[in-house]
Amino acid sequence: MIAFLPRRFDAWRSVVRRAVPACALLIGTAATTQAQSTGAIAGRVVDADNGQPIAAAQVTISGTQFGRATGDDGRFSLSSIPAGSRTVIVRRIGYQQQSRTVTVGTNATVTVDFALAKSSVSLAGLVVTATGEERKKEVGNAVTTVSSKDFEKAGVGNTQQILQGRSTGVTVLQNGGTPGAGGTIRLRGVNSITQGNRPLIYVDGIRIFNGNSPTGVSSRQSVSPLNDIPASDIERIEVVKGPAATTLYGTEASGGVIQIFTKRGRDGAASWTLDASGGINSMGDFGPASDPTGMFLKQCRGPNMVDAAGVPFEDATCPESGSWLKNGYLGRYSLGVRGASGGINYAISGNLENEEGVLRVGNNRTGGLRTNLGFAPTKTVTLALNSSWQRRNTAMISDGNSADAILLNISRGPGSNFRGGGCSTPTVTCVVNDTMFSKANTIGGDHFIVGGTATWTPFENLTNRLAVGIDYNNTDQRTINPFGYPRTPTGQYFQTLWNRQLITVDYATTWKQTYSKNFVGTTSFGAQLFDSRLNSTELRGDNFAGPGIPTLVSASLRQITDVNQQRVINAGLFAQQMIGWRDRLFITAGARVDGNSAFGQSFGLQTYPKVSGSWVLSEESFWPTSLIETFKLRGAIGESGKAPGAFDATRTWNPIAAEGGLSAFTPGQLGNPNLGPERTRETEVGFDAGLLNGRFGLVFTYFNARTNDAIINVAYPPSNGFSANQPENVGSIKNTGFEVQATTNLDLTSWAKLEARVQFTKMQGEAVDLGGRILTIDALSRSYVQEGLPLPAYVGRKVQNPDAFETPVVVDGEFLGQTFADKIINPSLTLSLFNNLSFEVVGEFQRGGHLLNANGFQNAGLGIWQPCFAAQKALRAAAAGDASALASVNARDRMRCSITAAERDYSYWVESADFFKVRNISVAYDVPKRFTPGARSMTVSFAGRNLFRSTNYTGTDPEVADQATSTFSRRDYYNFPPYRTFLFSVRTNF
């Protein structure tokens, strides 16, 4: 379908027109700062426990705009500081804040050093919000920060792996086991049925595309632009969850916000870091525990190559090893330099990765460059320029619900679509699965992120920030069946040319005021504009003339199968006022006004309000600091939204070819001039507590969110002339839950320290009002949205007496389970020995979710599912007249393994997807400097990922899903499972 967006952006134009006078007024109030006597402050920040330097600690001068981050050696230097008494404040997440008062002399340098004590809960850090940097103690929402120190020794390669198991309220699911395949990330569950639940993503203040690339015709998986930011470039990640925290981010932020901050330049001489890692990928346990063949992947020859009736088959192309699986090489390298020279601070890095999967095909080759520059052309203006380029070439396997899929054919044994000759026994079914590997599924592309941020501080208490940037994704996706491919002997060629552009313009002003000795305030206002563009063309070619390098033009039949061109503009104004009392009680109120080109013509602008509060009770005189030395009570209520799709409000027409090749069109979508965004209101309350001298921390958050005006596809009478469903704002859903994080730091001995953390998240979503409708997400997957049930939910036939050894009692239309986990537990331990040896383990439990095991349904029907072999043998005996044969077969297995086609149903294969996985285990050793001449430091580490899995799920893996079917419903339809990784790394600083 081709649809055209009307040339009407009145809503956002009016918003921009309102922003221009405000900006002009602010600029017009600037005045030249008077020259004054100045000096400098320098020093070093170290860890109080071990004396090691602390990098990236924020050093600021109270009451001024002066600030600097410490270098890798913990040193800092601040110049042009006005002479007189100055208070130096040092903040670092994970440490207690410290401050010192010094006297700065004219043309003199004063030295002050700091030794920071660790803290399980710290209110000292800075977090970045829509208005700029705010002190953590002022923020009324829960914000999770994951710093590079938390993952740099863990063998992670991308953002998806970093977030797994390291933040409350974050669900990360691996959709498949192909190198480079993207995952599914959700913050605090589900708050939209039709508009997606992905969080917004910012990289260094520039918003990037937060979806995935198109899925391949046969690979049925996609890559994620989020994973184009290598872990070696990341300084920290901040996770902002829920509309109460994301109000000022506007119409598209109800799914939360993930902010990625890459490494910046630091004062001092050039500091180089070289990371070199090598390892292997290998397949761990997967599939039914009772299947010794691993669905014929682990074993492709031998006595177990039989069907349910005991009839053998052979694979003439089975490798000499007797297994389709192998170990795949993984190499990961990065080189970076950071420093400052001539008034310019810089961070420049390059990365390269080559990863092979555990099959003959499947690999991911990626590499790129990043440059971050910062300088101050004047005393009041600072500029930051950021640019990155990442090239990706991914070769995926054929996966999921594809007739060419590797697991679909191999696991079906004699039912494979690839049959031939060459077997040792001519009387058996002979398959030739090796021929599948000649098929190519490739995704190649470039990802550019370019941005600049200008900060103007004409006075100590007034800051203006302007960020402008573009995120550019270009992908060339191809699926090629070469000439001679068994299923299409003359070949096929599919190509998708996909381009995404997202332009960001973000302006904010912050004015800090002092009203009296006890009262201060911060006023912020600004404007944002996002211009999102999509251009996509799908091509197809059939019938190559002969062997050779297949191209589109070498096919005799060529066609353009789809063209998609979209442009959506979202613009908004925001304002916020914070009032602080005695630097311990903070009340913040704000609002955002948005216009969006996807709103209906009659809808107009949308306003989202918020209010939050933070009270640091531990700074009150009545608080028992001897018991709980740090305690912050916080709460917030706010709204955010989710915009309709680009053409959801628009009447559309579908072009077709009429008789004689003439052009014509048919009615598409009716259109809705009043269509607006979904609105999600969330209430959040919680506290941050630290006790036992910073050795124990507890963070608790309760949230209650409700989405009104939820967009639902409504069927209109055919008499209107439009048969397609029309999106309408007619639904209501809710999502409640809580998050708990408990952290402890224990000194076991003078040479042994233990850090332990447990995170627990409970989420409960429900469809409240759908106007009596039952929404079908994917009928084949038995996935629906229904009032009173979690969303989405599996609904279908249910065996009421599953464990009874008797005739099954089956009821239709029953709730079978919710799709996504509603309980997530993340335990982690870090043991440090002798200040240079550390052990870390990160685990994850997911509970309450379900998954449709379509592998079992299909293979049981083909008589090739090993867990059904005994039951099907008994069913055949009973069908032959031996009723006693079913005495040991329960009602559930009688239906799941039925040999009667009319009795079989996908519903019986909806299984609990509860699991526990060891996400990461690592051992790291800081080599003594006497063994590393010429280097400032060296760390060697060994890490393993996905080393252990515990689950009762009998499909390939409880996290997988066929992404070409749906990103909301989930179905394990012959999806290749995730593998485990062993990685040895050396990090050298010099």
Side-chain angles (χ1 to χ4, degrees), residues 717-736:
S719 57
N720 286 328
F722 292 81
S723 59
N725 291 343
Q726 172 60 48
E728 299 281 354
N729 297 107
V730 294
S732 178
I733 61 179
K734 69 177 182 180
N735 186 32
T736 61

Side-chain angles (χ1 to χ4, degrees), residues 816-830:
L816 306 176
Q818 64 187 46
T819 303
F820 297 101
D822 61 0
K823 293 177 284 292
I824 301 176
I825 306 171
N826 303 127
S828 65
L829 288 171
T830 302

Side-chain angles (χ1 to χ4, degrees), residues 250-290:
T251 290
E252 299 169 292
S254 63
V257 176
I258 294 175
Q259 298 197 84
I260 301 172
F261 300 91
T262 60
K263 294 176 179 177
R264 302 287 187 166
R266 296 174 181 167
D267 284 344
S271 172
W272 293 81
T273 300
L274 173 65
D275 279 327
S277 303
I280 60 170
N281 295 321
S282 69
M283 181 54 69
D285 294 331
F286 67 94
S290 60

Side-chain angles (χ1 to χ4, degrees), residues 655-693:
I656 61 170
E659 184 177 353
L662 298 176
S663 60
F665 60 87
T666 60
Q669 181 178 268
L670 179 62
N672 177 9
N674 296 312
L675 185 66
E678 301 178 333
R679 293 179 64 94
T680 303
R681 174 179 293 179
E682 181 185 59
T683 301
E684 174 187 308
V685 294
F687 63 82
D688 302 70
L691 57 157
L692 301 178
N693 197 27

Side-chain angles (χ1 to χ4, degrees), residues 215-301:
T215 54
V217 174
S218 293
S219 65
R220 302 182 70 85
Q221 297 288 349
S222 57
V223 299
S224 171
L226 173 65
N227 290 335
D228 288 335
I229 298 94
S232 58
D233 283 352
I234 296 175
E235 185 71 51
R236 73 184 190 278
I237 299 174
E238 293 181 3
V239 182
V240 186
K241 297 161 286 188
T246 62
T247 296
L248 299 189
Y249 289 93
T251 290
E252 299 169 292
S254 63
V257 176
I258 294 175
Q259 298 197 84
I260 301 172
F261 300 91
T262 60
K263 294 176 179 177
R264 302 287 187 166
R266 296 174 181 167
D267 284 344
S271 172
W272 293 81
T273 300
L274 173 65
D275 279 327
S277 303
I280 60 170
N281 295 321
S282 69
M283 181 54 69
D285 294 331
F286 67 94
S290 60
D291 183 357
T293 72
M295 301 171 72
F296 303 122
L297 276 171
K298 289 184 177 180
Q299 297 178 16
C300 52
R301 69 162 59 97

